[in-house]
Amino acid sequence: MAKEKNIKNLEDLPGIGSATAQKLRDAGYDSIEKIAVASPHDLSELVGISVENAKKAIDAAKQATTVNYETASNFYERRKSLGRITTNSKNLDELLGGGVEVTAITEAYGKFASGKTQIGFQLSVDVQLKKEEGGLEGGVLFVDTEGTFRPERIEAIAKAKGLAPEKALNNIAVVRATNTEDQILVIERADKLIKEKNVKLVVIDSLTALFRSEFLGRSALGERQQKLNSHIHKLQELADDYELAVYVTNQVMDNPGILFGDPTTPIGGNIVAHAATTRLYLRKSKEDKRIVRLVDSPYLPEGEVVIRITPDGISD
Ligand code: GTP
Ligand code: MG
């Protein structure tokens, strides 16, 4: 076997020149370890190299990475002790394995009025509850990119949960982002606020809308995906560093490539698909009913439940 070249920098990987390395860094892949766990399709999509070459670079990165392991039982214990936030629907909590989990990104996608924002409001109240009530006694950073944050809804949901509305509202830091720069910056500078307000839930409603409207056309796709990827990486870092939950909403489009079945596809391609730990697909049903489907979970079975959007918030 050929002797492995000593690999320390991204430029040491096969087929990665300095320009490509810079693109990778800009997209959040700033270490050999991160390349080692990347998917070939993501890398290919992000920096415009072939999937074949991306595979080669990833393989080399894997070879060069030392393995830090913990035993599976240790991992399992740690997982079980991590906090979860109730959705206020027993069925949905069960579908999620006990609620929305911390150190993870949970994504809800679906058409307009499918309930994505309402679930964000419910979680923003529920995270403030005591542990035994399904909360984490934490605050919220709510990034509103669509101008649809409604304090009245927080007030109503808080009342229904027995929290003082004034207090509940005070525990939520709302940031209105009107362009992707704002959106990215809020998350990049969130550390201080997270510590001050003991934030246990970050909501981005919506994750993709501004990216979609600012980066139009095929030519802008690469840049859009790079920026989005680095944004999501930062979100995952916050989730890990502060043991908090990240809840993001995502729009959908009709994918004309799908001839049979449901053509509804979430925005953001592979980048968002791989980064979200758990994906929920929301569909409207009769009246206040919504069907929630668990699409992609590393450890939970796929399934569907029905929730209701009531004046008091989400319920079974
Ligand atoms: P977009 O942001 O437009 O993509 O949709 P979304 O998925 O975020 O929808 P959202 O979560 O805002 O759900 C909107 C739906 O929630 C409405 O169609 C109403 O049915 C319901 N809803 C919103 N506010 C109230 C309320 O005060 N009471 C009740 N009962 N339902 C509400
Ligand atoms: Mg919404």
Side-chain angles (χ1 to χ4, degrees):
M1 218 169 82
K3 225 178 175 182
E4 283 291 326
K5 188 172 78 159
N6 210 356
I7 291 177
K8 288 207 178 74
N9 303 307
L10 300 191
E11 286 86 348
D12 302 332
L13 294 167
I16 306 295
S18 58
T20 309
Q22 195 48 50
K23 278 192 200 166
L24 287 168
R25 290 192 183 99
D26 290 345
Y29 290 101
D30 52 7
S31 68
I32 299 292
E33 286 74 19
K34 283 185 188 165
I35 302 283
V37 296
S39 96
H41 284 98
D42 283 357
L43 285 200
S44 159
E45 193 178 331
L46 282 170
V47 299
I49 54 176
S50 71
V51 174
E52 231 8 79
N53 283 342
K55 272 189 192 145
K56 282 183 193 147
I58 291 167
D59 282 344
K62 279 185 184 150
Q63 295 283 339
T65 310
T66 46
V67 180
N68 288 318
Y69 73 91
E70 68 177 322
T71 64
S73 64
N74 212 343
F75 182 73
Y76 189 44
E77 283 309 314
R78 205 159 51 82
R79 278 298 301 273
K80 279 195 294 190
S81 70
L82 286 177
R84 287 176 181 273
I85 307 167
T86 181
T87 62
N88 208 45
S89 151
K90 281 215 172 69
N91 293 334
L92 181 51
D93 281 357
E94 221 162 85
L95 186 70
L96 289 165
V100 170
E101 66 175 336
V102 298
T103 72
I105 299 176
T106 301
E107 173 202 359
Y109 68 89
K111 295 199 171 124
F112 67 94
S114 58
K116 306 181 291 291
T117 297
Q118 299 301 318
I119 291 179
F121 292 162
Q122 183 74 49
L123 293 171
S124 297
V125 171
D126 290 353
V127 70
Q128 303 184 34
L129 298 169
K130 295 202 180 81
K131 282 222 163 133
E132 52 275 24
E133 296 168 328
L136 299 167
E137 287 176 73
V140 183
L141 169 57
F142 197 112
V143 183
D144 176 15
T145 77
E146 305 197 300
T148 51
F149 182 80
R150 294 285 175 273
E152 302 82 1
R153 291 294 290 147
I154 298 292
E155 195 173 25
I157 296 168
K159 270 188 193 152
K161 294 301 292 181
L163 290 179
E166 184 88 352
K167 247 178 149 178
L169 285 163
N170 269 327
N171 282 329
I172 304 174
V174 185
V175 180
R176 172 84 171 98
T178 53
N179 55 57
T180 54
E181 308 249 299
D182 274 3
Q183 185 181 333
I184 290 168
L185 215 63
V186 177
I187 294 309
E188 265 167 17
R189 305 226 176 119
D191 294 77
K192 190 162 163 263
L193 179 85
I194 289 173
K195 284 183 223 159
E196 271 171 20
K197 278 192 123 43
N198 183 33
V199 167
K200 285 290 166 190
L201 171 71
V202 174
V203 178
I204 316 269
D205 183 22
S206 120
L207 175 69
T208 48
L210 293 172
F211 284 91
R212 192 185 187 194
S213 62
E214 273 176 44
F215 296 92
L216 291 168
R218 274 237 143 257
S219 58
L221 198 61
E223 197 189 351
R224 180 186 94 177
Q225 292 302 79
Q226 263 180 47
K227 290 214 161 134
L228 192 53
N229 190 65
S230 124
H231 183 49
I232 299 172
H233 269 254
K234 183 69 203 176
L235 284 168
Q236 182 64 55
E237 250 172 60
L238 293 180
D240 289 332
D241 290 353
Y242 298 103
E243 283 201 3
L244 55 78
V246 175
Y247 172 79
V248 303
T249 68
N250 194 0
Q251 297 170 312
V252 294
M253 58 179 181
D254 278 342
N255 183 345
I258 297 176
L259 300 178
F260 303 101
D262 188 347
T264 312
T265 311
I267 307 292
N270 282 326
I271 301 295
V272 178
H274 286 136
T277 322
T278 303
R279 311 191 93 184
L280 296 172
Y281 175 28
L282 273 52
R283 273 174 298 154
K284 267 178 105 164
S285 179
K286 280 191 192 121
E287 288 137 24
D288 60 354
K289 294 195 183 71
R290 298 292 185 276
I291 302 160
V292 185
R293 179 166 190 80
L294 181 72
V295 178
D296 230 30
S297 167
Y299 61 96
L300 294 167
E302 288 212 350
E304 264 185 13
V305 296
V306 178
I307 59 168
R308 288 175 53 221
I309 306 177
T310 76
D312 287 346
I314 306 295
S315 75
D316 278 317

